[in-house]
Amino acid sequence: MRIYYTPELDWLSHQGFEPENVYLFFNEGLMTCLNQGQIDYLGYSTDKNYHNFLNLASEPLLYVIDKNTKQGELMTKNGEVYNAVPEPFNSQPALTKTSPCNTLLYVRLSEYNGQKDVSVTLKEGKLAVKPLLFSIIYKVTSNSIYGLDRQRRNILKTDSNLDTLWSYELEYKSDYGTAKDALFHNQTLINFIGAREETFERTDRDVFEQYRGGALIALDTDTGQLKWQFECETYLDNYQLDQGRLYYGAHDGVRILDPDTGELLQFIASGLPEPKNHPRFLCSVFVDKSYIYFCYSELGRWYVYDKHSYQQLTILQLPEHCVPWRHIFTDNNSGKHYFYLSDFTKYVDRSYLFELDPSNLLAPIEFETKPRTEVAFAPVNGEANNCDLVITLYTPRLDDALRFGEIITRDLALQHGRSKSAPDMYIRQFERYPDKRFNGTIRLQVVGCQADPSLINERLAIMAQRFATWNQGFHTCLYGHAKNAQGKVYLATLYAQSVSEQELGTLTSLQPQPKNDLPQAPKIPVEDALMDYLTDYENGEFSTDDTDYLAEALAVSNQVITGAYSTKLIGSAYFLQALYYLAKEEGEQRRKALKEAAQCGNTNAMIESLFATPYQEWHIDLLALAQVYNQQGTEFWNIQADVESCLEKQDAATRSRIDTHAQEIQQQWDSEQKTPYWIF
């Protein structure tokens, strides 16, 4: 059984142009296929984003986005543009869902004919447009659509004109649960709702999220009536129907239910203790024709049981640091199963593809063989403290040179380079220290590549361009440590070339542009920079002790607040501003920024406002705003009970003032089209 390295695995499909291939889509829009144990690039480009395959015709179509124009096209196997998809579905084919034989088309659009956030259907030439109904689509049939309205916390069914046939209000008011794909069985829709309990604890560096409980529910697809409900003590990451049985896994084992009645038919005890933490992704289960695979991510293993006797057959222990996630798909040609793995001790290549052969469960689990690689620091002009980073990669396969070349050049650039946005990230997270002789130049020498020389040079040039684009990202923007005679440092730059063993060391060392000749920050849209800072905070990487970092964060937030941006972006900018004042320990300024963000509909800021203000000091403005959020279906994690308690304790006159003010806020929100939203 084999584990494949990937730059960042994003999506897999076996419904591509060739049935014998398994198609892999990597982050940054790369497209590859896995065939006979080798990963080959089908799309390697700087300006194309190969999104995925879609079944909007009698043949698979590849959705490709031009990174420059942001326009998408559907491509046939022969590379021709497919234009048979009607408007407006051809503008967002990735968001289009279809019924069998394409008799009913559904698409979600952010804008259509001047309307914001709409659902659109097309059947027999008739177009229907309504305000957005579904956050998630479960299923499209020839006459109806099933899905989840996350904002209103309803599962609903509509007809082809988007008129509601039935709606089921969810018991648990969770923003993270109920986002699973529903299962359908004998006119029954089965879905997990939850979590029943959510707690969030935030420190300066980490966010600890705990999810407990929920329920599996079964709804009649004709009426929307509840058929049965099965309470779960754990949050479910996945569940599966197989041969008339419903399987799900929790830390204590696997449960098998009757999908028609919800009756527990069998419990397979795992014998595992209750975990210390309860993240959303802890356990999963997968069933094939012979075995039950129970995944417990905390221990990095799968437990394999006989499907009929329920006896444990073997334990598949993954290599150290590999964290197993759910099953992705099965290749029907080979019968092999594919699973997603993570390694959180890495940053660049932290996702793997695990190939499991059910016909040989006792085979060892091994990583694919990496090409031989040598790393050295080469002094420039005899200066011992001014060195190029030289990477020599030996492989006969061009595709391996591209895949492993991208992984190792970016990984070592992050380790040895300097970054303003994430200083010392590799030291703090991975205890990997930089070599401060690094001057910013990376020279990749590919040896022994057996392909057409012009193709090799073309692809290596694309790799260098892709590195430059990657290094313009706000999280990277890496520079060398070593300075030249004028005291300038250089932007990390990749030069790649194919050489023979006799030519090793001959790749010309071209010095990149000095930092002082470059803009002080990468030229990326300010809204992207804003979200990068907020992502830092979500990931526990917001630097509270780097004055340059904080100053740039404040500048970005002010630019958005004073610019012509959407209400959501402005609210997010005020939230970033509040993070700045938190780092500067300016409590009053922080509360003002949080208030502004909350008034824009920023739920994260609303929750922080509640936490930042002592319970006894919750004033009418804050309570009225909280009431508006609640009326729109948004609740406030584990502080929601305090909000409800505080409202209940108010006397009649105060409660009337709160209600009146809440109505005023709601009217203002309606006029400005504001709604609650989450940053993360």
Side-chain angles (χ1 to χ4, degrees), residues 406-584:
E406 286 207 356
I407 290 172
I408 192 169
T409 53
R410 297 184 184 194
D411 180 61
L412 292 179
L414 281 164
Q415 177 181 349
H416 297 294
R418 298 173 61 241
S419 170
K420 272 191 174 183
S421 64
D424 300 328
M425 179 184 69
Y426 262 41
I427 297 175
R428 288 186 289 108
Q429 293 190 13
F430 312 124
E431 295 186 357
R432 291 176 58 186
Y433 292 84
D435 189 318
K436 295 188 177 181
R437 296 176 296 166
F438 177 49
N439 61 19
T441 297
I442 302 173
R443 294 192 280 145
L444 175 65
Q445 303 180 129
V446 178
V447 181
C449 192
Q450 298 175 6
D452 181 85
S454 61
L455 178 62
I456 296 174
N457 292 332
E458 173 191 317
R459 292 294 174 89
L460 291 180
I462 291 174
M463 181 196 291
Q465 293 172 18
R466 286 173 51 80
F467 182 94
T469 301
W470 168 80
N471 197 33
Q472 291 171 6
F474 195 77
H475 278 295
T476 45
C477 194
L478 299 163
Y479 297 88
H481 291 271
K483 299 179 180 180
N484 64 10
Q486 289 74 39
K488 297 179 179 180
V489 294
Y490 296 94
L491 187 71
T493 305
L494 172 66
Y495 301 95
Q497 183 175 321
S498 175
V499 299
S500 67
E501 292 202 45
Q502 292 74 25
E503 297 172 317
L504 282 176
T506 63
L507 182 61
T508 303
S509 176
L510 300 175
Q511 288 291 351
Q513 290 293 318
K515 177 183 174 183
N516 292 359
D517 295 342
L518 296 167
Q520 291 299 307
K523 288 291 186 180
I524 61 174
V526 66
E527 55 268 34
D528 291 347
L530 169 67
M531 297 315 298
D532 280 333
Y533 275 114
L534 295 173
T535 301
D536 279 355
Y537 178 64
E538 182 184 11
N539 295 333
E541 297 173 0
F542 190 83
S543 183
T544 58
D545 52 4
D546 186 319
T547 55
D548 289 342
Y549 177 90
L550 291 173
E552 290 173 4
L554 182 63
V556 166
S557 67
N558 288 335
Q559 187 175 347
V560 173
I561 290 169
T562 58
Y565 294 96
S566 68
T567 301
K568 288 184 178 180
L569 275 176
I570 292 173
S572 300
Y574 273 116
F575 188 84
L576 176 58
Q577 200 175 78
L579 297 179
Y580 169 85
Y581 289 124
L582 176 63
K584 292 294 186 179

Side-chain angles (χ1 to χ4, degrees), residues 5 94 159 169 205 223 265 268 277 361 405 494 498 509 557 604:
Y5 296 93
D159 61 17
E169 183 177 356
R205 294 293 181 188
T223 66
L265 302 177
I268 307 173
N277 294 311
L361 292 175
L494 172 66
S498 175
S509 176
S557 67
N604 302 88

